[in-house]
Amino acid sequence: MQALIDRIRAPYLAQLQEPLAIAGQLLYRRGNFNGSFDQVICDAQRAVGDAQIALSPGFRWGTSVLPGDPITMERVLDQTCITYPETYVREMTGEQIKLILEDVGDNLFNPDPFYQQGGDMVRVGGMNYVIDPAAAAGQRISDMTLDTGEVVAAAKTYRVAGWATVGSVAPGPPIWDVVAHYLRDLGTVEIDRINTPVIRGVASNPGVGNWNG
């Protein structure tokens, strides 16, 4: 079996082993709301797409990268390996962004298990918000702000970068090419902040209270 794996990997080995940058801290995807490698993906989308806000799907797989280790192309690929990786940059209103967060939040926190269709919240970059999992549908998300502190207004338009569009193919390059381009220019990855939302009303709930761990 190892020989088979080696033979299949051989034509791509140089590409997989390309060192793109150095991890200045632990990079991982294991939080329900965000993780440090999620933030790298969001930061890459914002930088390459010149976007104010980034959205990234909430799933948790990929190899954690230890501080001081090289981030190879293979590490980027195993963080982003889905069959619909195409990216987009488009204009969205604050109301549309809130609707996206509310829709994903209802998939996670609907009180009826039949309507719970997801496990992790969409990751955001460049934006912060408050979520109340126990609130009614459409009322879980509040206090949306940009990293600058500016309130995300319902009627205002923002430049948003994202990937993993369900039901259609986005026009941009695959996310791993976007992240690789960003990392090659960066050198060492040092994350100043992780855009993790404030979670209300869960302190006494043992099933939800530690979801960011």
Side-chain angles (χ1 to χ4, degrees), residues 88-104:
Y88 64 83
V89 179
R90 62 181 64 144
E91 301 293 319
M92 293 186 187
T93 64
E95 181 180 18
Q96 290 173 317
I97 297 168
K98 183 176 186 295
L99 285 172
I100 291 171
L101 297 179
E102 291 282 9
D103 183 59
V104 178

Side-chain angles (χ1 to χ4, degrees), residues 101-118 121 131-138 140 208 211:
L101 297 179
E102 291 282 9
D103 183 59
V104 178
D106 194 55
N107 281 341
L108 303 181
F109 301 115
N110 193 295
D112 186 340
F114 184 78
Y115 293 105
Q116 295 175 6
Q117 303 170 38
M121 190 64 180
I131 183 169
D132 184 347
R140 294 186 175 92
V208 181
W211 273 27

Side-chain angles (χ1 to χ4, degrees), residues 51-167:
Q52 296 164 282
I53 296 169
L55 302 176
S56 186
F59 59 78
R60 288 178 284 165
W61 58 66
T63 306
S64 296
V65 184
L66 299 179
D69 281 359
I71 308 170
T72 63
M73 188 65 185
E74 185 164 20
R75 295 286 77 83
V76 172
L77 288 167
D78 71 21
Q79 297 281 348
T80 56
C81 54
I82 61 174
T83 57
Y84 46 106
E86 295 82 10
T87 57
Y88 64 83
V89 179
R90 62 181 64 144
E91 301 293 319
M92 293 186 187
T93 64
E95 181 180 18
Q96 290 173 317
I97 297 168
K98 183 176 186 295
L99 285 172
I100 291 171
L101 297 179
E102 291 282 9
D103 183 59
V104 178
D106 194 55
N107 281 341
L108 303 181
F109 301 115
N110 193 295
D112 186 340
F114 184 78
Y115 293 105
Q116 295 175 6
Q117 303 170 38
D120 295 308
M121 190 64 180
V122 60
R123 282 73 164 102
V124 300
M127 194 187 85
N128 308 281
Y129 64 94
V130 174
I131 183 169
D132 184 347
Q139 300 177 29
R140 294 186 175 92
I141 307 298
S142 63
D143 300 323
M144 294 165 51
T145 60
L146 299 178
D147 280 352
T148 59
E150 177 188 342
V151 173
V152 176
K156 189 172 180 178
T157 299
Y158 302 89
R159 187 171 170 89
V160 179
W163 63 291
T165 303
V166 177

